[in-house]
Amino acid sequence: MSQLSDSGFSGDKLFTQPFAVLLIVYFMIMCNLAVFFNFFSYLEQGGVSAKTAGLLLGVFPLVALAARPMLSSRVHPGNAAPWCIAGAVGMAASLSAYAFVQDVWLLAVLRGFHGLAFVIGLTALISLTVSVVPPLKSGQAFGAITVANLFPYAIMPPAVEYVLAKGGTQGAVFMGTGIVMAAAPPFLWLVSRMEAFSVQERPKEEDVLSRREVLDNFKSPVMLFLLAMSGAAYLCFAMVFYFLKSYGGAIAIQQVGHFFTLTIIFMIGVRVAAFSFFDRWNKARVCGVGLIYVGLCFCLLGTVRSPWLFFGSGALLGLGWGITMPLIGALIFDASPPRLRSFNTNMMIEMIDGGYFLAPTMGAAIASSLGYSALLYFEAGVSVLFGIGALGLARKI
């Protein structure tokens, strides 16, 4: 009988039945983010000012930022399944509610509730997942997880544009996504019935991290840098995600959803092709080179005016993101003591949410005052700086 704890998984096989089911749940949960790729534009078309639209986008990750630290130290594999089911139910209800809510203040409340449901579900899901990742296969595990997370970004933007082009409404889009999310609780119930998650090796109170463990964790310069790097990488990704449609309109390029399709195809393709190498490479060195490459791609995207170069930039960015993003997660996993792997992985998501929170407000400020090209050059500078920093960790991790 497998025994699970925060110290890690007892076996050496990655693609077990629990891991496979959890990947399906990741896909469903990430649809909650991908469906909002045109939300900024949708709000503007509804008469909401750019500043207010940016704030509404930021409410969701702000709530997640506030709630995750408390949740991360209390949720563990032994109690995570009920938390995850509750979060999934809340996400499904929230998505359906968007079809009926138009008032700005009610939208702010809904975004807050949706963000809380999301952080509860994802925090618990990560706790379940980290407990079944073999330590020597962290790179492959995060490669697989990020592939599952990426499929919604490949599918949802063009699907949303197709539905809207055929006369569908944004409300119908949200309702459809809510139906997808409603399928998650049965999968999570199935996970909770699996032997791996029905047995606890230790009492619940021993699984809860102490205050000293948490504070000591944040005294590590390496861990602080890795967490900051994860936030910076996703800040740049979120800025592209939220503002690309407006940038495309400014340079007379339509159907920008296909940019994300190409990006995700290349991200998935390079991860599948390099899957067996993720745990053979020096992760810090490859991640550093990849971030510098991503910075150069941002510079290219900021100068394009033709559709071929525009969509080609999406493919090139996909190659860079396809390598760097799973390696960031694997580096955090590898640099963490066993009992802190779940906590630090959730702190990585905390930093990612920080990036998603800052992206709308910071991006809107830069784009409105300096233009969309300046926004992309800003992202280039951030990526290159953290890439250089990652290269400095090559001999430490």
Side-chain angles (χ1 to χ4, degrees):
M1 182 179 295
S2 297
Q3 297 294 311
L4 294 174
S5 73
D6 284 345
S7 63
F9 186 49
S10 61
D12 59 0
K13 184 180 179 182
L14 175 61
F15 285 99
T16 58
Q17 187 180 37
F19 186 72
V21 174
L22 292 174
L23 289 179
I24 296 173
V25 180
Y26 272 107
F27 169 84
M28 295 176 180
I29 287 183
M30 295 313 292
C31 285
N32 281 263
L33 297 182
V35 72
F36 290 98
F37 98 102
N38 68 330
F39 197 54
F40 186 86
S41 176
Y42 164 71
L43 291 173
E44 283 192 314
Q45 291 173 6
V48 179
S49 69
K51 181 179 179 180
T52 302
L55 291 173
L56 285 172
L57 283 170
V59 170
F60 183 108
L62 179 61
V63 170
L65 279 168
R68 184 174 286 107
M70 179 182 67
L71 288 168
S72 297
S73 62
R74 288 166 173 77
V75 176
H76 54 82
N79 67 4
W83 282 94
C84 203
I85 290 172
V89 171
M91 283 182 268
S94 298
L95 285 164
S96 300
Y98 283 102
F100 306 101
V101 176
Q102 301 293 327
D103 179 77
V104 169
W105 288 106
L106 289 178
L107 270 176
V109 173
L110 178 57
R111 292 287 290 168
F113 179 80
H114 192 187
L116 180 61
F118 177 83
V119 71
I120 289 172
L122 187 58
T123 299
L125 181 62
I126 288 171
S127 185
L128 289 171
T129 307
V130 170
S131 67
V132 295
V133 172
L136 296 179
K137 294 188 177 179
S138 62
Q140 295 180 44
F142 280 93
I145 291 167
T146 51
V147 166
N149 289 346
L150 284 173
F151 270 113
Y153 288 96
I155 296 169
M156 297 302 291
V160 170
E161 290 189 329
Y162 177 82
V163 171
L164 296 178
K166 293 297 181 179
T169 65
Q170 192 73 36
V173 169
F174 290 133
M175 287 290 290
T177 311
I179 292 171
V180 172
M181 193 64 236
F187 278 96
L188 291 164
W189 179 84
L190 176 64
V191 165
S192 71
R193 303 294 295 176
M194 292 178 180
E195 184 179 47
F197 295 107
S198 63
V199 176
Q200 283 182 260
E201 187 178 31
R202 297 169 299 178
K204 177 179 177 181
E205 60 270 19
E206 292 184 15
D207 281 317
V208 177
L209 295 175
S210 68
R211 181 182 179 87
R212 172 60 61 185
E213 285 178 295
V214 173
L215 292 176
D216 287 346
N217 180 64
F218 291 119
K219 293 179 181 179
S220 167
V222 170
M223 184 55 61
L224 291 176
F225 174 80
L226 290 174
L227 291 173
M229 183 169 65
S230 66
Y234 280 89
L235 168 70
C236 296
F237 179 85
M239 284 180 170
V240 173
F241 183 73
Y242 286 133
F243 294 101
L244 190 73
K245 188 170 182 67
S246 298
Y247 176 49
I251 58 177
I253 294 177
Q254 306 301 317
Q255 299 296 319
V256 299
H258 296 302
F259 177 100
F260 291 108
T261 302
L262 278 171
T263 300
I264 302 306
I265 287 173
F266 276 82
M267 289 175 79
I268 293 173
V270 72
R271 288 175 192 180
V272 172
F275 187 75
S276 62
F277 296 99
F278 278 130
D279 293 303
R280 301 180 189 179
W281 293 331
N282 182 302
K283 298 183 181 78
R285 182 176 293 114
V286 176
C287 187
V289 172
L291 285 172
I292 293 171
Y293 165 83
V294 166
L296 296 176
C297 291
F298 283 135
C299 289
L300 173 62
L301 183 59
T303 63
V304 301
R305 292 298 179 268
S306 72
W308 285 104
L309 285 176
F310 179 83
F311 292 112
S313 298
L316 294 173
L317 272 171
L319 290 174
W321 280 331
I323 293 294
T324 57
M325 288 183 173
L327 288 179
I328 292 172
L331 283 167
I332 290 173
F333 183 95
D334 291 348
S336 301
R339 265 181 59 77
L340 287 162
R341 284 174 182 153
S342 175
F343 178 79
N344 281 331
T345 303
N346 272 305
M347 287 302 96
M348 177 186 73
I349 307 301
E350 178 83 346
M351 296 304 295
I352 290 172
D353 280 342
Y356 274 93
F357 170 69
L358 290 175
T361 50
M362 184 183 295
I366 295 173
S368 61
S369 59
L370 300 174
Y372 291 107
S373 292
L375 178 62
L376 291 163
Y377 298 148
F378 167 79
E379 295 171 45
V382 170
S383 298
V384 170
L385 285 174
F386 275 93
I388 293 171
L391 291 175
L393 296 180
R395 295 183 180 179
K396 297 179 181 180
I397 300 180

